[in-house]
Amino acid sequence: MTGGRRDPVAITLWVVLGLVGVYMLAPLAFVVVDSFNPSTYGEFPLAGFTLHWYTNAAAVPEFRTGLANSLVVAVGATVVAIVLGTLAAYGLARYRFRGREWARSFLLLPIIVPAIVFGAALFLLYIRIGLYGTRTGLVLGHALLGLPFVMSIVAASLQTLGREYEEAAMDLGANPFVTFFRVTIPSIRPGLIVGALFAFVTSWDQVDVSLFLTRPRNNTLPIAMFNYEQNYQDPTLAALSTVLIGFAVILVLLAVSVLKTQEYRRLVERR
């Protein structure tokens, strides 16, 4: 604001930002509205209001099995991605060695290579080593997809963390192992939380790679939804998608609240 008048450039930017936000959220809004549609064919405007499609989604056994499989796979993939990604990020951020950039590029390949190509490659590998159709193979495949996000986020956190804290701990007698778990890990905890969130969401929403790696007995929820869509065209998937949207919003809000708590503690400790 200048001379009591609003800056037209700032107003224009806010308007454009608002329009972009509406454009991005509009499809989600239509999904939520359609989940209450009494019409089987998703007619608009709505002729009434119903919760039938929510009860129908809860009654489909494939969705319940897929939900359980997705939770197990997503949690397992997140744990593996956090462990491997943190170790890789620490090695790349704290050490200089020949081939360092090649190693970084290699670890980023899962998000550079098209998902279909990556899934086909894992399928051929798993057929040879006996992991095709197993939950272990699915966890490892999803972990590889989440690892680049964890590595990049944790590496960024390590770049902002000076080595003086780790060096001070070792000067006081702590060995590298103790220093890593007592100094480094607590200092980069916000980055670990964000990385874990990205890894979990990447696994939870994965369809392309999962299509190559699953069998009917261990289908994840996105695969079960994909199969349902091939046979039915009712708003059941809209109802289930609305529940998943709410779950994602709650997950993000919880992560934000935890991050705020961590930042507040760090500010208090500095004071």
Side-chain angles (χ1 to χ4, degrees):
M1 186 179 297
T2 304
R5 293 181 298 178
R6 296 183 180 275
D7 186 359
V9 176
I11 295 175
T12 303
L13 290 176
W14 278 108
V15 171
V16 172
L17 181 62
L19 292 175
V20 171
V22 170
Y23 176 79
M24 295 178 63
L25 295 177
L28 300 181
F30 278 108
V31 169
V32 174
V33 171
D34 190 41
S35 68
F36 302 106
N37 199 330
S39 172
T40 304
Y41 303 101
E43 295 179 354
F44 284 94
L46 273 63
F49 180 89
T50 182
L51 295 176
H52 169 70
W53 307 116
Y54 288 88
T55 58
N56 188 50
V60 177
E62 288 81 4
F63 290 163
R64 296 196 296 270
T65 303
L67 176 61
N69 287 333
S70 287
L71 286 173
V72 172
V73 171
V75 171
T78 300
V79 172
V80 174
I82 281 291
V83 173
L84 298 181
T86 301
L87 294 177
Y90 188 83
L92 293 172
R94 290 291 187 258
Y95 298 98
R96 299 292 183 268
F97 53 89
R98 181 178 298 178
R100 177 169 168 267
E101 294 304 321
W102 284 99
R104 187 194 304 275
S105 300
F106 177 78
L107 292 173
L108 291 175
L109 280 179
I111 59 175
I112 297 175
V113 176
I116 294 179
V117 176
F118 186 74
L122 283 180
F123 169 75
L124 295 175
L125 174 64
Y126 283 3
I127 287 291
R128 290 180 175 273
I129 63 178
L131 283 178
Y132 171 68
T134 65
R135 186 174 290 174
T136 300
L138 195 57
V139 168
L140 293 177
H142 285 196
L144 288 176
L145 294 171
L147 188 146
F149 296 103
V150 175
M151 184 193 70
S152 300
I153 294 169
V154 174
S157 298
L158 288 169
Q159 292 293 341
T160 61
L161 175 67
R163 296 205 63 174
E164 59 269 13
Y165 297 103
E166 297 169 335
E167 293 173 352
M170 287 187 283
D171 288 341
L172 293 173
N175 58 46
F177 184 83
V178 173
T179 301
F180 180 76
F181 283 99
R182 298 293 296 274
V183 177
T184 307
I185 293 298
S187 299
I188 62 172
R189 194 173 300 165
L192 292 174
I193 295 173
V194 175
L197 180 62
F198 270 86
F200 183 89
V201 172
T202 299
S203 173
W204 181 263
D205 291 338
Q206 184 53 233
V207 176
D208 298 332
V209 173
S210 298
L211 282 173
F212 289 92
L213 306 181
T214 58
R215 286 179 175 174
R217 67 173 180 270
N218 62 354
N219 277 344
T220 59
L221 184 57
I223 300 300
M225 295 172 68
F226 178 82
N227 292 335
Y228 185 92
E229 188 183 14
Q230 308 305 309
N231 301 310
Y232 305 96
Q233 300 297 324
D234 55 49
T236 299
L237 289 183
L240 184 55
S241 298
T242 300
V243 174
L244 295 179
I245 291 171
F247 172 72
V249 171
I250 293 173
L251 191 65
V252 171
L253 291 177
L254 288 175
V256 169
S257 64
V258 171
L259 289 174
K260 284 185 177 180
T261 303
Q262 296 296 331
E263 291 298 325
Y264 175 75
R265 288 178 180 174
R266 291 177 65 178
L267 288 174
V268 171
E269 290 174 357
R270 289 177 181 178
R271 291 180 181 177

